[in-house]
Amino acid sequence: MKKLNTLAAVLAVAFLIGCATSAVAYKTLSALQVTTSAAYAGYLDLVVTGQVKTNSVPVVSRDYTLYLAAWNAAVNIAAQGTNAPATQSVTDASTKVISDITHAKA
């Protein structure tokens, strides 16, 4: 159930990002960052406590780093004061991180 809630949150944020103005972009990017970072932190906690195998760490960490790069680029676009929506790559990168985490937990 927790996996479905996380995925639903990511999809909801993805929808909002698609129609965001600069001010709304900041709010939706923030929500996406909170969701993705919480999933990643929770995953690392599971790794540290031995509940998830460590062989998934390189893939999840790489994808989280790629997500952060896409997220930072979207924040920079929003900071320019344009009404350009955040790119789909941010949502896609977040979804990839959460998908990798879900796969690692299975």
Side-chain angles (χ1 to χ4, degrees), residues 12-87:
V13 171
F15 173 76
L16 292 174
I17 286 176
C19 52
T21 63
S22 184
V24 174
Y26 281 126
K27 290 178 183 176
T28 55
L29 286 168
S30 174
L32 190 59
Q33 175 64 4
V34 167
T35 301
T36 308
S37 294
Y40 185 65
Y43 162 76
L44 292 178
D45 287 344
L46 293 174
V47 170
V48 169
T49 60
Q51 297 175 33
V52 173
K53 294 181 181 181
T54 59
N55 61 350
S56 61
V57 172
V59 171
V60 175
S61 295
R62 179 202 66 218
D63 288 340
Y64 184 71
T65 300
L66 293 173
Y67 155 75
L68 287 176
W71 184 82
N72 283 324
V75 169
N76 287 334
I77 290 170
Q80 294 173 10
T82 66
N83 287 333
T87 63

